[in-house]
Amino acid sequence: MADGRGVAKQPTVMMLGLRGIPEVQGGVEKHVEELSRHFVDKGWDVTVLGRRRYLLTPDPYTWKRVKVHPLWSPGSVKFEAIAHTALGVLFAAYHRPDILHIHAIGPALMTPLARLLGLKVIVTHHGYDYDRQKWGGLAKLMLKLGEKAGMRFARARIAVSNDIARTMESRYGVPVHYVPNGMTVRRSQTDTGILGKLGLTSRRYIMLVARIVPEKRQHDLIAAFAKLADPTVKLVLVGSAEYMAHYSQDVEKLAADVPGVVLAGMQTGDDLSILYENAGLFVLPSSHEGMPIALLEAMGAGLPVLASDITANLAIGLPAQDYFPLGDIEQLAAAMRSKLAVPFDSRKAAEQGALVAEQYGWLNIADQTLDVYNTVLKRKMPKA
């Protein structure tokens, strides 16, 4: 790609459809944060259009050479994503990036507008958001329309799971690239004292990292943990609530009623790394996932894991003993007890971490995504 003088021009991409980066809670946010870092290293000019109230400052800033531009969004959960995306499309139409990359099917509702304004749009399908428990009938309909608009009007389409990719191809008769979510294992640099602060002992706690929303099913995990009745083990729920006040209040009440449950809130940086590095078991009991980044991160940290038997978790391809039937409290409790009875094996953990890093490293995933970009731009992929 060159300018009018024949000088190589840095390709540009704008990311839209997320709250923002860095360290904003959410799978899409983690996905964009990791891709953006690698895109910059590979010579791309990257701008993330975030929602002002989630970001570090209301003014534009640069994070690790990624430009972050805060835009207004309404406070209503029902209208936040779509209003922000509409504004973001207009912003992109003014600035004319080479690629506008819209993430998630709700924001994808604005794909026809973006195409009408002459933008080259790529849409990533991160999961069937209309299956989330928090949405009512109208919101579910809008999400399905967003999926349809994104799949039909985007110049190229990406899905984070093979199941989503093949389903979209069958449903809409369009090609969809399967590019999975990835994981990065960041080892802690300093001892922050987070274990002592939360009253935890290394390898003697079960961990879940997830937003406190109904589809993550923290209540199932608390109920199963209560059945262990082992005072030497604790349950650590890492994550904060979003909008669902009634559900988060129920989780808080359940946690208060069961000894050993620790509500750790959102954790980042070394604190989160230390929690991963010292857990005895990671459990993901959710009823809905696109492709579970937190599960991949736990596996990358070498942890024993348990996951509900939903399609997205099964797609990871774990051994049968690492799954339990969704919502089955008795079987989850039995599986947790069995996992905790096996002494932690550092050698096996290191082997597992290396294998997961090879399969799901963000560098490879960034290359796959840039292949899609370059196909749309009819541009050859630069050699490393």
Side-chain angles (χ1 to χ4, degrees):
M1 190 178 299
D3 62 18
R5 298 168 297 173
V7 178
K9 175 180 174 290
Q10 189 176 29
T12 58
V13 58
M14 282 189 178
M15 303 284 201
L16 181 60
L18 65 151
R19 297 173 183 87
I21 63 171
E23 296 184 345
V24 177
Q25 183 173 241
V28 175
E29 287 71 20
K30 172 64 74 173
H31 181 99
V32 172
E33 180 178 313
E34 294 291 346
L35 286 185
S36 297
R37 292 192 309 113
H38 290 296
F39 288 174
V40 168
D41 289 341
K42 292 175 178 293
W44 281 70
D45 182 304
V46 182
T47 299
V48 173
L49 303 181
R51 300 171 200 169
R52 187 172 296 158
R53 61 203 189 88
Y54 294 99
L55 299 180
L56 301 172
T57 169
D59 302 314
Y61 58 94
T62 299
W63 172 80
K64 295 188 177 180
R65 293 180 292 149
V66 177
K67 301 169 187 173
V68 182
H69 200 105
L71 296 177
W72 174 86
S73 63
S76 167
V77 63
K78 294 180 180 179
F79 302 107
E80 176 187 74
I82 195 64
H84 177 263
T85 305
L87 189 59
V89 167
L90 296 177
F91 183 92
Y94 179 78
H95 289 276
R96 313 308 300 178
D98 295 314
I99 294 289
L100 175 64
H101 193 160
I102 297 178
H103 293 265
I105 59 174
L109 188 62
M110 291 293 106
T111 306
L113 173 62
R115 288 297 306 275
L116 185 65
L117 294 171
L119 296 166
K120 292 183 174 70
V121 185
I122 293 173
V123 168
T124 292
H125 195 315
H126 287 267
Y128 306 112
D129 289 339
Y130 40 76
D131 289 339
R132 294 184 185 273
Q133 293 171 253
K134 66 180 180 180
W135 299 122
L138 179 60
K140 289 177 183 288
L141 174 61
M142 297 303 289
L143 288 165
K144 289 179 179 179
L145 288 174
E147 178 184 88
K148 185 175 183 179
M151 294 301 103
R152 289 197 168 176
F153 290 96
R155 290 287 293 270
R157 308 142 202 91
I158 296 170
V160 299
S161 82
N162 193 52
D163 172 72
I164 294 173
R166 304 294 79 84
T167 299
M168 293 301 100
E169 289 182 336
S170 174
R171 185 174 295 172
Y172 298 107
V174 294
V176 180
H177 301 269
Y178 163 49
V179 180
N181 273 326
M183 53 72 61
T184 300
V185 177
R186 291 191 176 87
R187 300 299 178 188
S188 57
Q189 301 300 307
T190 59
D191 183 358
T192 65
I194 188 65
L195 296 185
K197 179 181 177 181
L198 297 177
L200 304 176
T201 301
S202 182
R203 306 300 174 206
R204 299 308 296 167
Y205 62 91
I206 300 163
M207 182 178 175
L208 166 63
V209 179
R211 290 171 296 156
I212 300 181
V213 291
E215 61 267 20
K216 299 301 182 181
R217 299 182 76 96
Q218 283 90 351
H219 58 291
D220 284 358
L221 184 51
I222 294 173
F225 174 75
K227 291 183 176 297
L228 293 182
D230 184 345
T232 70
V233 177
K234 291 189 176 181
L235 170 63
V236 182
L237 302 180
V238 178
S240 59
E242 292 179 4
Y243 300 110
M244 301 297 292
H246 293 302
Y247 179 74
S248 62
Q249 288 170 4
D250 288 344
V251 169
E252 288 176 6
K253 185 177 185 305
L254 286 170
D257 290 342
V258 177
V261 179
V262 179
L263 298 180
M266 182 180 172
Q267 300 290 335
T268 61
D270 280 351
D271 284 343
L272 182 58
S273 296
I274 289 169
L275 289 171
Y276 270 126
E277 290 165 9
N278 289 276
L281 173 65
F282 183 92
V283 181
L284 185 66
S286 50
S287 60
H288 173 83
E289 293 287 343
M291 187 178 185
I293 293 178
L295 179 59
L296 294 177
E297 290 179 338
M299 293 165 60
L303 296 181
V305 298
L306 285 170
S308 55
D309 60 351
I310 61 174
T311 300
N313 292 341
L314 290 171
I316 301 296
L318 300 173
Q321 63 268 25
D322 290 349
Y323 293 106
F324 65 91
L326 174 65
D328 191 323
I329 306 301
E330 295 292 341
Q331 289 207 38
L332 174 54
M336 288 163 56
R337 187 175 291 108
S338 177
K339 290 276 187 180
L340 290 170
V342 179
F344 188 84
D345 186 331
S346 298
R347 181 186 58 81
K348 184 178 179 181
E351 291 174 354
Q352 174 182 296
L355 179 61
V356 174
E358 180 181 350
Q359 290 180 324
Y360 296 101
W362 280 111
L363 184 59
N364 180 45
I365 290 163
D367 283 341
Q368 293 179 58
T369 306
L370 289 180
D371 278 340
V372 179
Y373 288 11
N374 290 319
T375 298
V376 169
L377 297 175
K378 296 180 173 57
R379 177 176 178 266
K380 289 184 179 179
M381 186 75 169
K383 292 183 178 180

